[in-house]
Amino acid sequence: MMSSLALVRNPLLILLTSFFLLAAAQEGSRSVSVGDALPADDRNLTWRSPSGDFEFGFRRVPDQQGLFLLAIWFANIPDKTIVWSANEGNPVEIQSRVELTSNGLVLRARSGMELWWSNSTQDGTGGVSHAAMLDTGNFVITGRNSENIWESFQYPTDTILPGQELGLDSILSSAISGTSYKKGRFQLRFTSESLVVNQIDVVTGTAFQFYLNITDGL
Ligand SMILES: *[C@@H]1O[C@H](CO)[C@@H](O)[C@H](O)[C@H]1NC(C)=O
Ligand SMILES: *[C@@H]1O[C@H](CO)[C@@H](O)[C@H](O)[C@H]1NC(C)=O
Ligand SMILES: *[C@@H]1O[C@H](CO)[C@@H](O)[C@H](O)[C@H]1NC(C)=O
């Protein structure tokens, strides 16, 4: 077994160790290739961030037999708190699939019907190179010219993570309940004029009079 003293005495070993750790991290951060897919079933397969802090995949919906939510969650805490979800928070049936295609992520029902897709390449000409679940909690799709073409951070649901920005015109919505991630009554909107907190009519989506409208300094 290698003692830490051996490491201290051998700078080359330290260098090699860091090189392999770095290589492993880069490998991990490039882990999703076009054609890779995850099934919604009890194998619980996921795409993990290099540190293992975040996972992307399907989560069984409590109290709803056979339904799964496509989501990103904290993987290293017992609650495995969900920080992002796809498909407007609507769960899908068992044996649905999410696949990284050359046009982005596609969520398909068991029947093959498309339920949701990431708007990665607008023209559908297939510019996706690979994707990665990052240690920040951001799922990023990268194009053939290494450009960032889609990221979950651009489409926040009910959570903002450290390092994530609430972009102009983005909306943060509360989840409808502790077990359903569909849009709930409260929303925070960031527009060019102000930061607004209001309730909405959950059925029609109509915004009610705001509680808070912050314009100072914007
Ligand atoms: C997958 O997760 C569920 C809980 O959501 C658990 O009951 C099941 O045993 C897990 N399956 C595997 C293969 O780990
Ligand atoms: C994709 O774009 C359409 C129309 O521009 C929009 O309605 C939809 O919400 C977008 N989907 C995602 C996942 O961003
Ligand atoms: C918030 O206040 C600004 C400035 O008075 C106004 O332009 C904007 O329309 C208000 N937002 C809402 C949702 O009423």
Side-chain angles (χ1 to χ4, degrees), residues 31-166:
S31 54
V32 185
S33 308
V34 170
D36 285 355
L38 293 172
D41 64 26
D42 282 327
R43 280 177 287 170
N44 305 333
L45 301 177
T46 63
W47 292 326
R48 284 189 147 231
S49 74
S51 69
D53 281 346
F54 289 94
E55 284 182 298
F56 176 100
F58 289 98
R59 282 278 294 274
R60 232 178 214 295
V61 178
D63 316 326
Q64 283 187 283
Q65 280 290 322
L67 289 186
F68 292 79
L69 181 69
L70 181 60
I72 294 171
W73 60 89
F74 277 114
N76 279 336
I77 56 173
D79 281 352
K80 300 202 187 296
T81 310
I82 287 175
V83 297
W84 180 86
S85 60
N87 198 25
E88 305 268 303
N90 292 296
V92 296
E93 18 160 25
I94 192 161
Q95 286 169 19
S96 299
R97 270 161 66 89
V98 64
E99 180 182 345
L100 182 69
T101 72
S102 56
N103 290 315
L105 287 170
V106 181
L107 173 63
R108 286 198 184 86
R110 180 166 39 177
S111 65
M113 192 175 83
E114 283 184 12
L115 301 172
W116 174 89
W117 64 97
S118 64
N119 289 342
S120 305
T121 57
Q122 299 298 338
D123 50 6
T125 50
V128 171
S129 159
H130 62 274
M133 181 70 251
L134 305 184
D135 286 331
T136 52
N138 195 7
F139 188 88
V140 177
I141 299 177
T142 305
R144 297 225 180 92
N145 301 318
S146 301
E147 76 279 29
N148 176 342
I149 52 182
W150 184 89
E151 53 180 7
S152 57
F153 270 16
Q154 277 175 355
Y155 302 95
T157 51
D158 70 345
T159 306
I160 290 282
L161 290 168
Q164 183 173 5
E165 286 172 13
L166 190 65

Side-chain angles (χ1 to χ4, degrees), residues 189 191-198 207-210 212-216:
R189 289 181 287 153
T191 71
S192 52
E193 287 106 41
S194 58
L195 187 67
V196 180
V197 178
N198 58 268
F208 294 132
Q209 177 68 9
F210 55 82
L212 194 67
N213 183 351
I214 303 169
T215 52
D216 280 3

